[in-house]
Each structure stands twice: as C-alpha cells, then as structure tokens.
Amino acid sequence: MWLRCADRSRRGGRWGGRKRGVRAVSGAGGGGGGAAPPAATGAKVTRVTKVPVAVGYGGAVASVDADASAAGIEVLRRGGNAVDAAVATAAALGVTEPYSSGVGGGGYFVYYDAKSRTVHTIDGRETAPLTADSHLFVENGKPLAFADAVTSGLSVGTPGTPATWQTALDEWGTRGLGTVLKPAERIARDGFTVDDTFRSQTADNETRFRYFPDTAKLFLPNGRLPVVGSTFKNPDLARTYEELARKGVGAIYHGDLGRDIVKTVNKPPVAAGSGYDARPGKLSAKDLAHYGAKLQKPTHTTYRGLKVYSIAPSSSGGTTVGEALNILEKTDLSKASEVQYLHHFIEASRIAFADRGRWVGDPAFEDVPTKQLLSQKFADSRACLITDDAVLTSPLAPGDPRHPAACGKGGTAAPTTYEGENTTHLTVADKWGNVVSYTLTIEQTGGSAITVPGRGFLLNNELTDFSFTPANPAVHDPNLPGPGKRPRSSISPTIVLDRYDRPVVALGSPGGATIITTVLQTLTEFLDRHLPLVDAIAAPRASQRNAARTELEPALYNSDLRGKLQAIGHSFSLNPEIGAATGVQRLPDGKWLAAAEKVRRGGGSAMVVDPTP
Ligand code: GLU
C-alpha cells in the first residue's frame, strides 16, 4: 500500500511551550543502573549523561546520542507512545547526528503493536528521479568514480524521512508532528555540546564541506572545526522543524522547502573558485509530489522457537538476516566452541550475501523471491555447503530460492558491491508494550555534503547504493538504477517475539552492508550465546559479505581466535569499527532494558522513564 504524503499537519503543542535557555533535560545516574531525565521543569540544565544500559519502567529509549534519547524519554514521560517517542528521537538525531540522519534522508521503521501483537513496517527509502535510467552513474561510457558520485546532486534521492514520520504518527502515533518535533526544535535552537565524534566526523568531511559555502558556514563555524565542549546551534534547522510543525510535511513534498531542495540538487551551490565539479541531479517537483512512504508487511522467520520480524525489500536486511538465521538453525550455537560459532556465523553470512546480491532489489521493479529466500527449505539447501573444517570460496555463487537444490549453487558468482557506512539506529519501547526499531540514514557520513541553503540540513547520497554497472555482467543485477526506483538497502531494524507474540528483544545498527552481519551477530550473541544485551552489542565484530576476506574488529583480529580460524582456511582484514547498535529487551512485569554501545562511536545512550530498581 502506498501512502501519498498529504499535508496532514496535526498542530502540536499539546504540552506546550519551550522555555528559552532550557536544553534537553539532564540524565540522572551515571552508574549502570539506568538513567532517566527528570521532567522538563524549566530549570537550566546543560548536560545529559550518557550510559550504555538502563533498566526500569515506563518505557525505554536507546540511541547513539544522549540528547536524542532524552527527547524520546521526554515524549514518553508526557504520555506519548513508542511511535511518538521514536519520531521525537529521530528528529533530535537530525540535530545532533546531522551527518548520519535528518529530513534530507530516508530509512525503515518497524513497529510492534502491543494491543494486536502484530508487527508493521514503513519503507521510507529515498527514490531515484522519475527521469533516471540504468545509466544514472555512467559518464562517457564509464562508471563515475564513487567519490564523485557521492558528493553530487546526482546521488540525491527524494527524501523519505519526513513522509515516514508523518505516516508513522498517522498510523500508530498519539501525538501530532508539531508536538513531537518540539524537543528537537529546542535542541537545534539552543544548541548541543560538541563531542569528539562530532568533531572527528566534521574533520573527515572538511575538504568536501568547504566545496559548498552553505555547508561550511553551518558545520565549520568561523571557518574552523567545531571545538569539543562548545555549544553547536542550528537555528536554520530549528526554523525548518518549526515550519514542518506548522505546515506539515507537505512543505517538503509540495511546498517551499521542496522547491529549495530541488533547486539545490539541480544546481549544487559550489564555492566559486573551489574547482570542484559537483554533478547536478535531475530531481523535480514531480518527484517530490510523487513520493510515498510505503506501508508493507515485515519479513518473518522463526528461529529456535522465536519469531523474527524485520524489513522487507527494498531493504535486503530482513531477507538476508533471516536466511542466515535459518542456515544457522542447523547448528547448536549455544554449545559450539568460540571458533566454531564464529566459523558458522561467517559462512552463513557469506552464503546469505551471495543470494542477496543476485535476488534482492526494489520489488516495485524487480521480481524478488522474498518468501522463498526466507524458506527453511532453501536455507537447508544452502546450509549443507558448510562444513566444520573448511571455508567456502568467495565470491560464492548464489542459490536459486525458487528451485532449491541440495547444496545447490544456481548461477555465477558476483562480488558484493560497495556501500557507504553510516547512519543511525534507535530503539524505543513504551509502558503499553509497543516497540519501535527504526534505522534512518543520509547514506555516507555527511551524505552528499550539500546543505540546503538556509534550511539547516544535509541532503542524502542514497542513490550511490545502486550498482553503477551490473555487479555481474553475465546476469541481471536487480539493483541497477531506474525511474522512481529505491536503491537496495542493508538496513535491518529487527523485532523478535516469543511464541505468544510478546516482544523479546528489538535491535538494529548502522554500517552499510555490515548492518546485516552486525544484527545477525548481535542476535546470536544474545539468543544463542546468552550474553546480556549490552555485552552482545559490545562483543567484537566480524563481517563477511561474500568477499575473499572477512573483516575483523581489532579485539578479534588481535586475538588467538584469528589464528585458529585461519587454520580452517579463513582470511581476514582489519576493520577498526563495525556498526553502532542499539536495542531494547522486555523484562518481566513491564520492565524494560535499554542498551547501546559501550565504546563504538563514543558510546551510545540508553534511558528509561523510571529507573526505579
Ligand atoms: N545506505 C546504507 C543502506 O541503506 C545505510 C548506510 C549506513 O548504515 O551506513 O544500507
């Protein structure tokens, strides 16, 4: 079902006014026992404490950022539900994590409704212009250099995030957009404290940010990198949120905000004399008006008696995590040695990625065998390729999910195409038992590097998630660009239910294609290896994506496990950091546990409404 974005603003303000000078409220409790901001009283508070785990009642929020988690908690505290709080948290992340998310991007929203005990999803992926064809990134007969495509108008898809927020609130929320945007608007206006991650992400982008004066003016205040500990304000974004609150998301899909986006994409405002050739895009008012966030069925598979729900194509997340889980189900991972656990996890990932590359693209354009990819019969036909003492060769050929053949390979192998690695994931639960698992992105850290002048947000470069040319010239690539098509994603917001359809755990991560392996590894560390959720998230990661080498984080790369796995035949490369997961776990009697990263990306922020032990 497609929802057109109507201008359905429900003006907010149910809990009224912002007091100037009041930032997101303070977190209590620096210890592991939990953190919750007190109700906004008007007292001036400047710091929000960041802890990776919190336990308590009244609902929970986990995100990468303390101000953003506090925004969600504020909404829960005032009686909003998990959907309201998720949108509030996402909007706040648009302020404090502007290089990973924002109204210039897209994402995938997964919602568990406690009353009906059912899971629903929204595909809010960016779309290619209606004029795009398979040669979108081909110039003079050759694929464009990836970096040139990233920093260009050409890679900007129609943003899906505003439509996702409005659709989620319309379908399942209890508050209007204006109301849930309030905390984020306040943070944008009054500022947040610059941390190391924000500064280093700015530094990584400094060169290309300087190509665009509006981006440099915003993110390099006074021409310099933001100083750690200083207050960063974004009054333009505060005004954008205020306009969305007043006019609704129609301001983007049919109005003046949209006109500014189109103008910027089609004529990127490059600094005179920079010499940078920012390829123009071909976005039109028609593209924006045509955009619809898509309500669709989740993917579903069972794993050791539990029900695993995630996002269906256009993301490959649900089918690939699901297929790998089905493959792993053959092995008792709870009893396996650490070496055999990692070996099976790596090989299941390799196989699932081989199948993802061949079969998954936007189902509005491609015949995607979603059901068959998730069938146990297909997984069994692939699982029998794995042995305890040998390693499969990548690129591994895909199987044919429509005609599973024992230990079958149904075609020629193709390498996994490159995807940028950045975005952000948030997980929310409320006191009624509703849960949201939501991953949103502008693709690369810093997206296209193009800020919409005067509007305070970066535009995405999501269209670089398309294959520029066929990954395997011998077979059809389902991920070539097309008119209005969604590029294949790896985003995998997941919710696991027990046999009574009650939540067990919900989680997700950023990380481009490594999202899939991070979600798979965290799930198995938690469900099979029985690590506490926060430790399952913190566990050192491996990522195999049908490549010759498996990436390892330093703690694994430098451990004796590497040698033991090499003895079976594995090859490795070092990846300094993979993913940045968050999750929530349902505990008995209405209690929730929120968990985030202990170290990655400077640590995440877990909060509950009421941390009473
Ligand atoms: N563009 C990526 C995807 O949709 C997400 C970016 C990321 O997480 O890093 O799969």
Side-chain angles (χ1 to χ4, degrees):
M1 171 184 179
W2 286 83
L3 288 189
R4 282 282 148 76
C5 274
D7 190 349
R8 287 178 288 189
S9 158
R10 279 189 263 167
R11 285 210 50 192
R14 203 178 287 190
W15 55 76
R18 170 188 59 84
K19 296 204 182 220
R20 282 207 77 85
V22 180
R23 274 195 62 222
V25 287
S26 160
T41 59
K44 183 166 171 92
V45 184
T46 51
R47 290 263 153 168
V48 183
T49 310
K50 206 166 178 177
V51 293
V53 63
V55 181
Y57 297 92
V61 182
S63 82
V64 73
D65 179 76
D67 289 311
S69 294
I73 290 287
E74 183 181 331
V75 168
L76 291 176
R77 186 183 293 287
R78 293 173 185 265
N81 72 5
V83 173
D84 305 323
V87 176
T89 306
L93 287 168
V95 183
T96 60
E97 294 280 313
Y99 308 144
S100 302
S101 63
V103 290
Y108 296 88
F109 194 102
V110 179
Y111 167 63
Y112 168 79
D113 183 70
K115 210 164 169 194
S116 59
R117 297 193 183 185
T118 51
V119 178
H120 308 264
T121 78
I122 301 170
D123 175 335
R125 186 70 157 170
E126 300 91 329
T127 49
L130 292 163
T131 53
D133 61 21
S134 62
H135 289 86
L136 183 66
F137 291 114
V138 176
E139 203 176 78
N140 303 323
K142 290 204 192 92
L144 199 56
F146 191 76
D148 290 341
V150 168
T151 309
S152 80
L154 213 51
S155 65
V156 181
T158 300
T161 290
T164 304
W165 293 353
Q166 189 62 63
T167 304
L169 293 172
D170 286 346
E171 292 294 315
W172 315 299
T174 65
R175 300 292 190 262
L177 184 64
T179 307
V180 298
L181 288 181
K182 280 276 175 234
E185 187 192 324
R186 184 182 63 219
I187 300 167
R189 184 165 291 124
D190 297 342
F192 64 91
T193 306
V194 171
D195 63 10
D196 286 320
T197 307
F198 187 74
R199 182 184 164 92
S200 74
Q201 289 182 342
T202 313
D204 292 344
N205 279 292
E206 188 175 348
T207 304
R208 63 191 197 116
F209 279 5
R210 290 196 190 281
Y211 296 150
F212 304 98
D214 301 280
T215 306
K217 191 170 142 221
L218 179 58
F219 294 115
L220 298 161
N222 303 315
R224 287 192 292 274
L225 290 174
V227 176
V228 175
S230 66
T231 300
F232 186 95
K233 297 182 183 178
N234 190 341
D236 287 348
L237 184 57
R239 272 190 297 276
T240 295
Y241 280 163
E242 190 274 326
E243 181 169 344
L244 288 174
R246 208 160 18 88
K247 299 182 181 167
V249 299
I252 286 192
Y253 296 102
H254 307 282
D256 59 325
L257 263 162
R259 277 194 289 280
D260 284 0
I261 291 174
V262 167
K263 205 164 111 192
T264 309
V265 171
N266 296 345
K267 197 164 186 258
V270 187
S274 74
Y276 183 68
D277 177 13
R279 271 71 168 182
K282 287 194 195 95
L283 209 64
S284 68
K286 200 169 157 200
D287 290 313
L288 295 181
H290 191 261
Y291 187 83
K294 197 176 172 190
L295 280 168
Q296 64 182 16
K297 277 193 185 159
T299 56
H300 169 240
T301 187
T302 56
Y303 185 65
R304 307 201 198 281
L306 300 170
K307 301 172 182 184
V308 181
Y309 292 90
S310 189
I311 195 82
S314 58
S315 180
S316 59
T319 55
T320 313
V321 172
E323 180 188 341
L325 286 173
N326 286 339
I327 290 171
L328 289 171
E329 201 149 19
K330 285 270 164 198
T331 311
D332 186 349
L333 297 179
S334 69
K335 297 213 176 72
S337 67
E338 198 60 18
V339 171
Q340 280 301 318
Y341 162 63
L342 285 169
H343 170 63
H344 280 262
F345 157 64
I346 288 169
E347 294 302 84
S349 303
R350 187 192 310 276
I351 295 170
F353 263 92
D355 299 329
R356 164 197 183 267
R358 170 66 186 88
W359 301 107
V360 184
D362 181 349
F365 290 76
E366 307 290 337
D367 184 14
V368 185
T370 300
K371 199 167 151 226
Q372 293 89 338
L373 279 167
L374 286 167
S375 81
Q376 192 61 48
K377 192 171 171 204
F378 178 56
D380 291 348
S381 79
R382 301 289 277 159
C384 74
L385 291 168
I386 304 176
T387 53
D388 285 352
D389 54 3
V391 169
L392 292 162
T393 305
S394 278
L396 181 75
D400 184 347
R402 292 194 175 91
H403 306 100
C407 301
K409 298 176 204 161
T412 50
T416 300
T417 50
Y418 178 74
E419 272 172 38
E421 290 185 16
N422 204 284
T423 196
T424 194
H425 181 80
L426 61 99
T427 326
V428 181
D430 65 28
K431 63 182 171 189
W432 298 282
N434 303 302
V435 179
V436 172
S437 190
Y438 179 26
T439 313
L440 63 165
T441 180
I442 56 171
E443 218 303 279
Q444 204 84 358
T445 308
S448 63
I450 303 171
T451 298
V452 183
R455 300 300 196 168
F457 64 90
L458 286 157
L459 291 164
N460 70 83
N461 65 292
E462 214 70 53
L463 303 187
T464 60
D465 274 358
F466 281 121
S467 304
F468 288 18
T469 52
N472 178 350
V475 272
H476 175 74
D477 183 336
N479 192 34
L480 286 171
K485 193 173 176 181
R486 285 159 152 82
R488 178 174 61 213
S489 171
S490 299
I491 286 174
S492 317
T494 300
I495 298 180
V496 180
L497 306 183
D498 66 14
R499 62 197 172 106
Y500 303 108
D501 295 317
R502 298 170 308 194
V504 174
V505 70
L507 53 85
S509 176
T514 70
I515 292 171
I516 289 167
T517 54
T518 291
V519 168
L520 178 65
Q521 186 175 358
T522 310
L523 280 174
T524 54
E525 298 274 14
F526 177 71
L527 297 173
D528 294 301
R529 308 293 284 177
H530 303 299
L531 289 186
L533 185 58
V534 71
D535 295 329
I537 287 172
R541 293 186 181 132
S543 182
Q544 167 54 246
R545 307 188 298 281
N546 199 17
R549 287 171 195 274
T550 300
E551 294 171 10
L552 297 182
E553 285 189 324
L556 276 177
Y557 194 83
N558 299 323
S559 78
D560 62 353
L561 286 166
R562 175 159 66 105
K564 291 178 182 167
L565 287 160
Q566 281 168 335
I568 310 178
H570 287 279
S571 300
F572 296 107
S573 60
L574 185 64
N575 184 333
E577 189 171 288
I578 300 175
T582 70
V584 294
Q585 177 187 2
R586 189 177 64 89
L587 301 175
D589 306 323
K591 224 178 193 183
W592 289 96
L593 179 147
E597 295 287 353
K598 291 180 180 174
V599 176
R600 294 183 188 96
R601 291 234 194 142
S605 168
M607 291 186 186
V608 292
V609 172
D610 176 6
T612 312

